[in-house]
C-alpha cells in the first residue's frame, strides 16, 4: 500500500481538528451542566471550584484549536491549489469537502464574536 499523499494527510488533519473543536464545545456544555447541578444541590465548595477550573481550561482550549484549524485550512488550500492531475478524484473531493466544512466552522465562530 503506498504511503498517504500530502493532500490526504492535510485533509485528515482538518477533519480531526473539526471533530476536536466540536468535542470542546460539547465538553463546555457538559461541564456547565455539572456545575449547575453542583450549585443546585449545594455541592462541596472544593469540588465546585475544581469543576469551574476544568470549565475554564476547556474554554481556553477552544480558541487554540480554532487557530490550529485555520492554519491547517491554509495548508490544505495550498495543497488543493498544487494538487497533481494524477491525484485520485475521490481524494480531491474529500479534501474540498473538508476545506468547506472547516471554513464553515470558523465562520460560525467569527459570527459569534
Amino acid at each position: 500500500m503506498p504511503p498517504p499523499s500530502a493532500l490526504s494527510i492535510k485533509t485528515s488533519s482538518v477533519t480531526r481538528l473539526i471533530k476536536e473543536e466540536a468535542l470542546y464545545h460539547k465538553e463546555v456544555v457538559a461541564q456547565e451542566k455539572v456545575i449547575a447541578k453542583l450549585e443546585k444541590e449545594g455541592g462541596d465548595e472544593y469540588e465546585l471550584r475544581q469543576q469551574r477550573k476544568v470549565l475554564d481550561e476547556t474554554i481556553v482550549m477552544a480558541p487554540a484549536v480554532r487557530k490550529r484549524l485555520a492554519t491547517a485550512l491554509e495548508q490544505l488550500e495550498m495543497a488543493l491549489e498544487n494538487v497533481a492531475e494524477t491525484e485520485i478524484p475521490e481524494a480531491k473531493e474529500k479534501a474540498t469537502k473538508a476545506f468547506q466544512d472547516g471554513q464553515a466552522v470558523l465562520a460560525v465562530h467569527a459570527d459569534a464574536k
Side-chain angles (χ1 to χ4, degrees):
M1 187 167 153
S5 69
L7 182 63
S8 64
I9 291 170
K10 289 174 183 10
T11 302
S12 296
S13 177
V14 167
T15 304
R16 177 185 51 80
L17 288 167
I18 290 170
K19 289 178 185 178
E20 188 175 335
E21 203 268 342
L23 285 173
Y24 276 114
H25 284 287
K26 287 179 185 178
E27 179 65 25
V28 166
V29 170
Q31 199 61 35
E32 287 173 342
K33 287 180 182 179
V34 168
I35 291 171
K37 182 180 177 186
L38 282 172
E39 288 174 341
K40 181 180 175 185
E41 295 174 353
D44 179 40
E45 186 60 36
Y46 174 77
E47 186 176 352
L48 194 54
R49 206 172 337 132
Q50 291 298 341
Q51 295 302 322
R52 286 184 180 132
K53 183 177 178 184
V54 170
L55 176 62
D56 291 342
E57 290 172 358
T58 303
I59 290 171
V60 166
M61 287 304 298
V65 172
R66 283 193 294 276
K67 184 177 179 182
R68 290 188 353 237
L69 176 59
T71 302
L73 281 172
E74 289 174 10
Q75 293 173 351
L76 180 58
E77 183 177 31
M78 287 189 300
L80 278 167
E81 290 172 358
N82 298 326
V83 70
E85 293 299 321
T86 58
E87 191 72 45
I88 301 171
E90 291 85 21
K92 289 180 188 177
E93 289 174 22
K94 187 176 179 181
T96 302
K97 179 165 178 12
F99 182 76
Q100 292 168 347
D101 291 346
Q103 285 185 319
V105 167
L106 292 179
V108 165
H109 296 292
D111 291 342
K113 287 182 181 178

